[in-house]
Amino acid sequence: MTLFLPIRGLSFLAVPGVYLLLGWLNYSQSGKSAALGVLALLATGAWSAGRPPPRGGGATVWEILVAAPFFVLLALQAFLRDFFGVAHDDEMVLEALFNTNGGEAGEFLLHNGRGIAKHVAFLVVFLLIYGLLLRMGNRYLPSKGPAIAGGDRRELAGNGARRRPLFLPLLFLVLFLLLHLNPTMRQSNPLLYFPLQYLEWNRNVEETRKLQQTLAATGSDPEIASIRYVGEGPRTVVLVLGESTTRLNWSLYGYPRKTNPELSALGKELVRFDDVVTGNPATTGALRLLLTPADLSRPDLWQTKPDLLTMAKKAGYRTFWISNQGGRTGLVSVLASHADVAEFTNRGGSRGEGSYDNVLLDPFRKALSDPAPHKFIILHMLGGHPAFHFRYPREFARFDGVNDNVSRELTERGRVFWAVLQRDEYDNAMLYADHLLRATIDLCRERVGESIAWLFTPDHGEDVAHYTDFVGHNYRVRAMWEIPLLFWKSGKFLAQEVLPEEAARRPVQTDTLDQTVLGLLAIRGAFYTPQRDLFSRDFQPVKRFLDGAPYP
Ligand SMILES: [Zn+2]
């Protein structure tokens, strides 16, 4: 019976469990909160069990006090995922929390009133039910009533059961504290969440400021004087950057689910590169290599040499960065700031259901019709970034629960239901990305008689239960590295040195893809190496490495 008080702390698990079932938390979020909350409550319960009576009543108050901050943090996380599709440590959330003035905060509350009210209501209901359960549980405690004859609390000191009242609470407390060695666990402690997030946000802002200063110097690199434009007439080059997109889930590359109906319909107009891997399996790492002269053999060049936008500007291009990702801190934001026009369609607190990648299309259309004769436009999508089900509108949820070869194979290989569920959602996101990429090509096709090249590749792939039940960024597997690369050009875009169909068979790693982009931009000079340009007759394949290991 002495174990009853600590053990009832386990009932806390029901709360993150309910959020998980409702789809408002993912496994990692609810798992971390569950682990911390349960240990805190086990410690509280065990401590109360060792106290003099009335233990039940006292314990209930303490347990509610300990549980309440966890309930609040869970409610906040659920709200953020439910309405904005972001995790609580997402840059957009930090920005909304720490970089807004009173007016914006008020606007945010007003604008999202219904969502906030819904989650506050859930919070209150959960707290009430939890408190009620604890009270009911008190009935089973032997602490009240005549069980202890005489009722003198001092007698209890000599009671055998009271001899190790501190052992269990201390054990749970130590386990609770040990979990804090993990940094993401620390962030899941409601009392540490805000201070830690605030510190991190400030650090990000400071680091970005320093990066901004460092990279400003790359604009005056002496070799920049060698940059020249060798093309004839006007031209537009479009570089579309996807996100977390593995080619293993694209029907264009043989995936059995028809995830690329609209791109496939382009037939020979679209060139599919067969053998492409990313240089780095993380967003910043990959884009740092792709958008600057840095490559795997000289990974630090991004700090000293100009990036593609700076070079294109130098060559006379008007440059655009249109992004559906966060853009206030980090290296990618600094690179983006080098564009003549930087537009972020996804703004912290104001981003909601409308944050699907189609918000890129209007600014893209505007950029295409800009009167500048030479344009370099970069689009940065959210693509297949987790959480997948926030990446597409409902009408693209075409693979949910379908019974096809893919789902049968996953089941045969023993995948748990939630891994299959996430695969379905990821494929929906791929289907939507297919639709969106086709829409960007169609906008280019509308510019009849113009010279336009369009190139697409994602930063990296994604592991979506391809090998185990694991879903997410997984550096050790092929799905994380093997990515699509697509090319389209208008009839008027000047022919490349080799036929696109021939180029498409060349093996490439995207750390050197900046060279192909420079080729399309017709930029020559110190930073252009034709041996790395996929469309150059001088192209030579280089050894490729996945996290240091040779590939293939
Ligand atoms: Zn990424």
Side-chain angles (χ1 to χ4, degrees):
M1 220 27 131
T2 46
L3 268 178
F4 177 78
L5 266 175
I7 278 176
R8 68 179 188 173
L10 291 174
S11 59
F12 169 78
L13 289 174
V15 182
V18 169
Y19 278 122
L20 180 68
L21 286 178
L22 289 169
W24 294 338
L25 286 185
N26 61 31
Y27 281 85
S28 138
Q29 284 177 316
S30 37
K32 283 169 193 159
S33 302
L36 284 174
V38 155
L39 282 173
L41 287 165
L42 285 175
T44 313
W47 173 75
S48 299
R51 311 311 303 161
R55 290 173 296 166
T60 307
V61 173
W62 281 110
E63 285 183 83
I64 288 178
L65 280 177
V66 169
F70 283 96
F71 279 68
V72 172
L73 184 65
L74 283 167
L76 173 72
Q77 292 177 334
F79 166 68
L80 291 170
R81 263 183 79 93
D82 186 19
F83 277 79
F84 306 113
V86 295
H88 63 288
D89 53 355
D90 192 282
E91 183 193 319
M92 285 173 276
V93 177
L94 302 190
E95 189 189 331
L97 279 174
F98 304 125
N99 196 35
T100 124
N101 55 42
E104 277 179 48
E107 196 180 294
F108 176 83
L109 289 177
L110 216 75
H111 187 76
N112 299 290
R114 253 184 35 198
I116 295 171
K118 168 177 155 189
H119 285 275
V120 168
F122 267 94
L123 170 65
V124 171
V125 169
F126 280 147
L127 265 172
L128 279 176
I129 294 178
Y130 187 66
L132 232 89
L133 280 177
L134 291 185
R135 266 184 69 110
M136 278 162 59
N138 287 344
R139 285 197 208 140
Y140 302 99
L141 284 171
S143 55
K144 293 177 189 170
I148 301 158
D152 186 344
R153 286 177 188 192
R154 271 167 301 178
E155 278 179 25
L156 289 167
N159 187 317
R162 297 280 91 80
R163 243 176 241 146
R164 45 188 188 96
L166 279 179
F167 173 71
L168 266 184
L170 274 177
L171 175 73
F172 290 132
L173 188 68
V174 165
L175 287 175
F176 175 77
L177 291 175
L178 277 178
L179 285 184
H180 285 68
L181 291 175
N182 176 312
T184 63
M185 273 291 189
R186 278 201 290 278
Q187 290 190 355
S188 300
N189 178 330
L191 298 184
L192 297 178
Y193 169 74
F194 285 99
L196 284 178
Q197 297 292 321
Y198 184 71
L199 287 178
E200 178 161 347
W201 170 253
N202 269 342
R203 200 170 50 236
N204 287 346
V205 170
E206 181 56 22
E207 268 173 19
T208 306
R209 203 182 53 77
K210 281 193 197 135
L211 259 178
Q212 190 74 263
Q213 277 174 352
T214 313
L215 294 195
T218 65
S220 48
D221 184 89
E223 285 185 308
I224 226 169
S226 69
I227 286 177
R228 60 190 193 279
Y229 177 67
V230 298
E232 282 166 25
R235 79 167 63 191
T236 297
V237 175
V238 180
L239 174 62
V240 187
L241 298 169
E243 171 64 64
S244 305
T245 299
T246 175
R247 71 163 180 257
L248 303 192
N249 287 50
W250 274 31
S251 53
L252 263 177
Y253 286 86
Y255 187 54
R257 281 182 176 169
K258 295 275 165 272
T259 46
N260 298 116
E262 297 193 38
L263 286 173
S264 298
L266 284 170
K268 280 204 155 54
E269 218 181 306
L270 188 71
V271 179
R272 181 202 76 186
F273 285 76
D274 295 328
D275 186 8
V276 185
V277 286
T278 182
N280 187 291
T283 308
T284 303
L287 296 187
R288 187 164 66 202
L289 294 170
L290 202 160
L291 298 171
T292 76
D295 57 28
L296 289 181
S297 59
R298 295 160 305 168
D300 295 325
L301 281 190
W302 62 273
Q303 293 168 346
T304 51
K305 298 297 171 190
D307 58 275
L308 283 178
L309 288 158
T310 304
M311 288 192 228
K313 257 204 285 201
K314 201 73 195 164
Y317 279 87
R318 183 162 166 77
T319 52
F320 300 80
W321 180 280
I322 304 167
S323 168
N324 198 27
Q325 300 208 5
R328 294 298 174 95
T329 64
L331 175 69
V332 177
S333 77
V334 177
L335 295 178
S337 74
H338 294 167
D340 296 306
V341 178
E343 187 156 353
F344 295 91
T345 55
N346 216 337
R347 286 190 188 82
S350 64
R351 119 200 180 102
E353 298 292 293
S355 64
Y356 302 129
D357 278 331
N358 64 351
V359 289
L360 292 164
L361 293 177
D362 272 338
F364 180 49
R365 188 184 287 114
K366 234 173 74 194
L368 279 175
S369 50
D370 187 282
H374 299 99
K375 294 186 280 286
F376 178 36
I377 306 169
I378 297 182
L379 298 180
H380 195 194
M381 304 165 63
L382 265 176
H385 198 280
F388 309 137
H389 65 280
F390 288 114
R391 298 284 87 86
Y392 52 86
R394 223 163 260 284
E395 61 266 32
F396 285 83
R398 235 169 281 167
F399 299 108
D400 283 351
V402 294
N403 182 16
D404 60 4
N405 284 341
V406 171
S407 61
R408 273 192 293 274
E409 199 197 321
L410 287 171
T411 314
E412 271 164 30
R413 286 195 281 164
R415 297 285 185 274
V416 295
F417 79 96
W418 57 262
V420 181
L421 191 92
Q422 296 210 69
R423 169 66 74 90
D424 293 347
E425 292 176 350
Y426 184 76
D427 290 343
N428 294 336
M430 293 299 103
L431 184 72
Y432 184 60
D434 171 78
H435 169 72
L436 207 91
L437 289 170
R438 173 62 195 265
T440 63
I441 293 179
D442 285 346
L443 286 177
C444 295
R445 289 162 113 204
E446 282 171 17
R447 314 290 306 174
V448 179
E450 289 187 20
S451 168
I452 305 178
W454 176 102
L455 193 68
F456 165 80
T457 200
D459 55 349
H460 52 74
E462 185 81 341
D463 180 0
V464 194
H466 288 94
Y467 313 91
T468 60
D469 286 334
F470 181 83
V471 174
H473 286 18
N474 181 1
Y475 293 15
R476 289 157 303 193
V477 298
R478 248 165 13 94
M480 199 65 208
W481 297 80
E482 294 182 341
I483 52 176
L485 173 66
L486 303 175
F487 176 69
W488 174 93
K489 71 181 188 69
S490 67
K492 206 157 174 229
F493 193 85
L494 290 180
Q496 305 304 294
E497 287 179 359
V498 297
L499 288 173
E501 296 71 38
E502 187 187 333
R505 291 193 294 273
R506 293 174 159 172
V508 68
Q509 189 152 21
T510 55
D511 61 322
T512 58
L513 198 69
D514 48 312
Q515 295 303 321
T516 301
V517 179
L518 285 178
L520 293 173
L521 289 164
I523 287 177
R524 298 293 179 270
F527 300 108
Y528 176 67
T529 313
Q531 288 78 16
R532 302 284 170 269
D533 178 354
L534 283 166
F535 294 112
S536 165
R537 71 173 74 86
D538 299 322
F539 177 84
Q540 289 164 5
V542 276
K543 281 213 169 74
R544 297 180 291 173
F545 296 92
L546 310 190
D547 212 10
Y551 175 89

